[in-house]
Amino acid sequence: MNDAETTQNSASQPLEERVNNRSQRPSSDAFKAFMASNWAPTPEHSPEREAVAGYAATRRHAISGQFKGERLVIPAGPLKVRSNDTDYRFRPHSAFAHLTGLGVDHEPDAVLIMEPVEEGKGDDGGHHHATLYFRPLAGRDTEQFYADSRSGEFWIGPRPTLAEFKARLGIATAHIDELETAITKNVGAPEIGGVSVRLVRKVDENIDALVDTARYNTAKDPDTLDLGVLDALDDKLAEALSELRLIKDEWEIAQMKIAVAATVEGFTEVVKSLPRALTHHRGERVVEGAFFARAREEGNELGYDTIAASGNNATVLHWTRNTGKINAGELLLLDAGVEAESLYTADITRTLPVNGVFSDIQRKVYEAVLEAADAGFAAARPGTKFRDIHTAATTVLAQRLAEWGLLPVSVEEAISPEGQQHRRWMPHGTSHHLGLDVHDCAQAKRELYLDGVLTPGMVFTIEPGLYFKNEDLGIPEEYRGIGVRIEDDVLMTADGPVNLSAALPRGSADVEAWMAGIYQDVEAQSATTD
């Protein structure tokens, strides 16, 4: 073949196919026939109904009651490219996971559609019939089996069948090839016999485009179509789905406990790793890796990027680079959470003395933060407002800052809306809801979140901190480079708050004793091995 023929053949190959050139897969008919032959049949089994199925059905029933007569479209989302032909590990959108009960990586491109039916004639006496649309296992006699690196069993392993998902989740299922019709049929204004559609947007661009096109094509006058009104319809669905997660059911609470328990184990592994971290030029990465290994062993993934911040890095609120060295005598602020297979995540922070013992000034700052956290717990009672936790915790911090001579004004002036000078060293909120998202329920209305009433079944964090940067010339030198945060995961019950992460020590002396015990165990194991 001459150079001209090579250039012509290259130019004629579609660009999207070129990313697969590395596989060098044959395309002959003989190869295709051979690949389709002599495979054992896919084993058939009758899966049991999953424990989450009934809870997910209850959640769908609640949403159905808010959107009678409207089609609801909730995508899982597609795979996302990380680099050329490699994808990020898939995680479905939280609203999809909440309404289906599906976690991990089964269902890229899947969509849950809740189709309106006659009132009271839907699933479980609701007003909708739910169907899960997804791409099931391709038969081993198909080219997809070995040719599709994103969905072929040869590449990624088996996928559940339509019947398996239906049996496991109690949801009707359909092939994804039927999805376009299911989304677009009869779309239009209700007054002319059409169906109004609400969509969880910005999850799957293809689904966004499909819904927008259907709305445009069925509008009485496309030129006057008010996209702002339609976006508001979709925003209302996102808001309702977020608010639905404010109160966790029994199954969700159990998942939160699983995530927290795995996270506690991860913190133990971090303490074990500290001797090696002290000798490594990227000690923070050693810490990050130790926790990540536990997250992958015990759960699905990290719930969020780990903050492993030593020394002055601990004063950077979202320090996730974790490129720093860890030095003896510093504090290590570790903010980390394991995401369970169900996708529910913990979110815990402890601040640890790297050498196992707090210095006097470190202990002073630490105990002030602990006192603030305890004040937050004391304020958290059923019937009080969510924002009261923050007020109680930051008031304590303002009082200590004043005692130390760091506040330029009185405590009363600092905590007033017109003041807030204490927030220089505690700039974030003290609490956030926790669940499928590390910052769960974020689209909920303000009156149900910040101004909401604490109610049994809510799960949230309490996490005050103080951050004294090396660059802060407004404080004495002895404080500089100290960052402390203590964060616990809290379940509200009828009797008050329950600290789900209480297995991790909080008091300074308890932290020191805990770390010493771990070091002794490591030394004993090392001696036995030697």
Side-chain angles (χ1 to χ4, degrees), residues 294-318:
R294 180 59 57 173
R296 287 294 285 161
E297 287 177 21
E298 301 298 332
N300 174 55
E301 177 55 283
L302 296 171
Y304 53 94
D305 287 341
T306 297
I307 297 172
S310 185
N312 195 52
N313 290 342
T315 69
V316 181
L317 297 184
H318 288 170

Side-chain angles (χ1 to χ4, degrees), residues 176-214:
I176 201 168
D177 289 348
E178 303 173 31
L179 177 62
E180 181 173 350
T181 299
I183 290 177
T184 61
K185 65 182 178 183
N186 303 326
V187 171
E191 58 266 24
I192 59 173
V195 177
S196 175
V197 176
R198 293 191 192 238
L199 164 69
V200 178
R201 301 189 71 87
K202 298 181 181 179
V203 178
D204 189 324
E205 291 182 355
N206 292 328
I207 303 302
D208 286 4
L210 192 60
V211 170
D212 289 342
T213 300

Side-chain angles (χ1 to χ4, degrees), residues 44 60 109 152 164 189 211 225 239 259-260 288 384 389 466 487:
E44 295 184 4
R60 294 193 298 273
D109 301 318
E164 283 180 46
V211 170
L225 190 65
E239 176 184 271
V260 168
E288 176 188 336
T384 61
I389 300 172
L466 285 173
E487 178 180 20

Side-chain angles (χ1 to χ4, degrees), residues 466-499:
L466 285 173
Y467 312 92
F468 299 118
K469 294 182 178 294
N470 273 336
E471 311 84 62
D472 189 347
L473 302 182
I475 58 176
E477 187 174 355
E478 64 176 341
Y479 290 96
R480 296 176 196 166
I482 294 177
V484 174
R485 181 164 64 252
I486 302 170
E487 178 180 20
D488 286 291
D489 299 345
V490 182
L491 168 66
M492 181 55 65
T493 73
D495 297 323
V498 173
N499 187 353

Side-chain angles (χ1 to χ4, degrees), residues 18-41:
R18 298 179 194 178
V19 297
N20 294 316
N21 284 341
R22 63 177 177 80
S23 69
Q24 303 182 48
R25 186 179 66 248
S27 58
S28 67
D29 290 340
F31 170 75
K32 293 177 181 178
F34 185 61
M35 285 297 292
S37 64
N38 295 320
W39 296 106

Side-chain angles (χ1 to χ4, degrees), residues 357-373:
V357 179
F358 290 96
S359 70
D360 290 343
I361 187 65
Q362 290 170 350
R363 192 184 306 274
K364 177 181 176 180
V365 175
Y366 186 94
E367 291 296 338
V369 174
L370 179 62
E371 184 184 355

Side-chain angles (χ1 to χ4, degrees), residues 9 51 62-63 81 88 121 252 300 310 380 473 510 512 520:
N9 288 341
I63 286 296
V81 175
Y88 286 102
K121 301 295 186 181
E252 292 179 284
N300 174 55
S310 185
L473 302 182
D510 294 332
E512 291 171 336
Q520 290 172 3

